[in-house]
Amino acid sequence: MPNNADDSIYSEAIKWLYDIGCDEPLNVDKRSFHGLISRPVNSNDELSDRVISENINLENIDNINSLKKFLLSKNFISDSNTIFYEGSTKADLMVIGDKPEDIILKNTKPFHGELEKLLDAMLKAIGFDKSNTYYTNLRCNSTKLDTNIDLELEIIKKQIFIVKPKIIIMFGAEATKLLTNTEDSIFKSRGRWYDIKIDDNLEPILGISMFHPRYVLVHPESKKETWKDLKEVRSKFT
């Protein structure tokens, strides 16, 4: 007999269907194992999440699930299937990337394709991967014309507050400017360490500015500086 109560219910339902002579799917469009109708998709689920989340105060959020509902309510992500982070929510290392170049890619995971492969290789070289690293990125432009930039900063800070990493890597100029409140270009900030202040009640977190993997792909000569920065990150953990 199945140990899981849900499995037991399914077994009884299948036996019942068999006993009454039902030997074909009940619904060819929505069927699961043995022809049982799967849980119907409620078109109002996402709307409900949006409505409920409107009352969520960002300051009171202390977990990723609640944060995701908040992002959905503010249209920072398009739907509940959007992946706005990857990795461990209890990571010692957090990586924050600039926004995607293509607006269509804003609702994909933080790093994908060749960028993801390169980043995975970079982190693996210093002993990190998705099991001990938290990946995220910006969702809007950090410009004076963008009314969402203040909210963007609060959302990034909230992720840092929840994860509580020991070190943050800021990939690219936009991520660096947002978290350090500087206007330096990436060529000036790259390789520099900053004390990132998240909350008045928390100690600042060490953060380093680095070339975005996207830049490294296009400019292979930057691998030397990138490797130097990665070794500095590794040394901070030893």
Side-chain angles (χ1 to χ4, degrees), residues 64 83 89 212 229 235:
I64 292 297
I83 302 173
T89 57
H212 195 286
D229 296 339
S235 69

Side-chain angles (χ1 to χ4, degrees), residues 170 172 176 186 189-194 207-211 229:
M170 300 169 286
T176 301
I186 188 61
S189 66
R190 194 239 99 223
R192 289 183 57 185
W193 287 91
Y194 298 85
I208 186 172
S209 177
M210 290 180 56
F211 289 133
D229 296 339

Side-chain angles (χ1 to χ4, degrees), residues 46 68 72 77-84 107-109:
E46 185 176 313
K68 186 170 186 177
L72 184 62
I77 56 177
S78 63
D79 59 63
S80 58
N81 293 319
T82 300
I83 302 173
F84 73 95
N107 289 312
T108 63
K109 57 187 181 180

Side-chain angles (χ1 to χ4, degrees), residues 126-138:
I126 59 172
F128 285 88
D129 55 31
K130 288 187 176 69
S131 69
N132 57 6
T133 308
Y134 181 96
Y135 298 57
T136 191
N137 66 342
L138 307 187

Side-chain angles (χ1 to χ4, degrees), residues 31 38 48 52 98 113 123 142 168 170 223 226 228 230:
R31 69 173 186 268
S38 60
S48 296
I52 293 172
D98 284 351
L123 295 181
S142 56
I168 297 171
M170 300 169 286
K223 289 181 179 179
T226 299
K228 178 182 177 181
L230 287 171

Side-chain angles (χ1 to χ4, degrees), residues 6-230:
D6 289 337
D7 290 340
S8 178
I9 292 172
Y10 270 91
S11 296
E12 290 296 323
I14 293 169
K15 182 177 182 301
W16 181 75
L17 290 171
Y18 178 82
D19 289 342
I20 65 174
C22 181
D23 58 359
E24 61 182 353
L26 298 177
N27 186 320
V28 296
D29 294 322
K30 295 180 181 179
R31 69 173 186 268
S32 56
F33 190 54
H34 288 294
L36 290 175
I37 296 178
S38 60
R39 177 181 179 273
V41 177
N42 187 345
S43 61
N44 293 321
D45 282 352
E46 185 176 313
L47 179 59
S48 296
D49 278 344
R50 290 183 186 275
V51 173
I52 293 172
S53 300
E54 286 179 357
N55 298 320
I56 295 178
N57 189 325
L58 184 59
E59 293 181 3
N60 298 329
I61 292 175
D62 61 0
N63 63 80
I64 292 297
N65 288 335
S66 294
L67 179 60
K68 186 170 186 177
K69 290 182 179 180
F70 178 84
L71 297 180
L72 184 62
S73 72
K74 298 299 181 181
N75 294 317
F76 260 71
I77 56 177
S78 63
D79 59 63
S80 58
N81 293 319
T82 300
I83 302 173
F84 73 95
Y85 84 92
E86 283 194 294
S88 171
T89 57
K90 297 181 179 179
D92 286 336
L93 178 65
M94 177 182 283
V95 296
I96 303 171
D98 284 351
K99 70 183 188 307
E101 288 185 324
D102 192 332
I103 191 170
I104 298 175
L105 300 178
K106 282 189 177 183
N107 289 312
T108 63
K109 57 187 181 180
F111 300 89
H112 60 279
E114 293 302 312
L115 296 183
E116 182 180 21
K117 292 178 183 178
L118 175 57
L119 178 55
D120 286 346
M122 289 165 56
L123 295 181
K124 185 177 181 180
I126 59 172
F128 285 88
D129 55 31
K130 288 187 176 69
S131 69
N132 57 6
T133 308
Y134 181 96
Y135 298 57
T136 191
N137 66 342
L138 307 187
R139 295 278 164 177
C140 66
N141 294 312
S142 56
T143 66
K144 294 180 180 179
L145 297 178
D146 196 319
T147 57
N148 285 326
I149 192 57
D150 290 336
L151 181 57
E152 173 86 85
L153 177 58
E154 292 305 311
I155 289 171
I156 291 295
K157 283 187 174 182
K158 179 57 66 174
Q159 291 178 75
I160 297 172
F161 176 82
I162 293 171
V163 177
K164 294 180 173 59
K166 295 178 180 177
I167 290 177
I168 297 171
I169 295 177
M170 300 169 286
F171 282 125
E174 299 301 319
T176 301
K177 290 177 181 179
L178 184 68
L179 284 169
T180 63
N181 195 30
T182 64
E183 290 299 325
D184 293 337
S185 70
I186 188 61
F187 302 104
K188 186 173 181 180
S189 66
R190 194 239 99 223
R192 289 183 57 185
W193 287 91
Y194 298 85
D195 286 328
I196 301 174
K197 188 175 181 181
I198 304 303
D199 186 274
D200 291 337
N201 299 318
L202 295 177
E203 291 292 323
I205 298 175
L206 271 178
I208 186 172
S209 177
M210 290 180 56
F211 289 133
H212 195 286
R214 181 170 56 234
Y215 180 86
V216 179
L217 280 176
V218 179
H219 301 88
E221 67 276 9
S222 65
K223 289 181 179 179
K224 182 177 180 180
E225 291 90 346
T226 299
W227 177 233
K228 178 182 177 181
D229 296 339
L230 287 171

